[in-house]
Amino acid sequence: MAGSKVEIYTKWGCGFCVRAKALLDAKGVAYEEYDITMGGPKKAEMTQRVPSAMTVPQIIINNRPIGGCDELHALDRAGKLDPLLAA
């Protein structure tokens, strides 16, 4: 699928991050991954973009924070992920 800008903030060794990326990969979705394992500017950026973010992954589709792995899978089960990715 093409069209949407998908960004995902991750940390090394995060099983939820792996699951979220696996779902995106299975759908053929290109995404930009930001590793915030060591903190730094990308961690600060994530906190600024998603003030409520306390965990990873944080997934942003077309500048809209959608949450983490559970939220991504819930959107998929509800049939709402594909339209969002195609936008």
Side-chain angles (χ1 to χ4, degrees):
M1 282 181 195
S4 290
K5 180 178 182 185
V6 180
E7 300 165 277
I8 181 169
Y9 292 87
T10 62
K11 285 187 178 180
W12 186 86
C14 166
F16 289 105
C17 299
V18 171
R19 283 184 52 221
K21 291 189 300 183
L23 177 57
L24 293 171
D25 289 340
K27 291 185 171 290
V29 175
Y31 53 86
E32 190 128 359
E33 180 178 359
Y34 308 120
D35 185 335
I36 62 165
T37 302
M38 303 304 286
K42 284 295 178 186
K43 169 86 160 84
E45 177 186 283
M46 179 189 84
T47 307
Q48 183 180 25
R49 293 178 78 186
V50 190
S52 61
M54 304 302 279
T55 59
V56 288
Q58 285 299 317
I59 302 154
I60 299 174
I61 300 175
N62 293 327
N63 291 316
R64 178 180 155 210
I66 61 144
C69 182
D70 291 343
E71 291 81 6
L72 184 71
H73 281 271
L75 280 172
D76 191 42
R77 283 191 302 275
K80 295 178 180 174
L81 182 59
D82 290 341
L84 199 57
L85 293 172

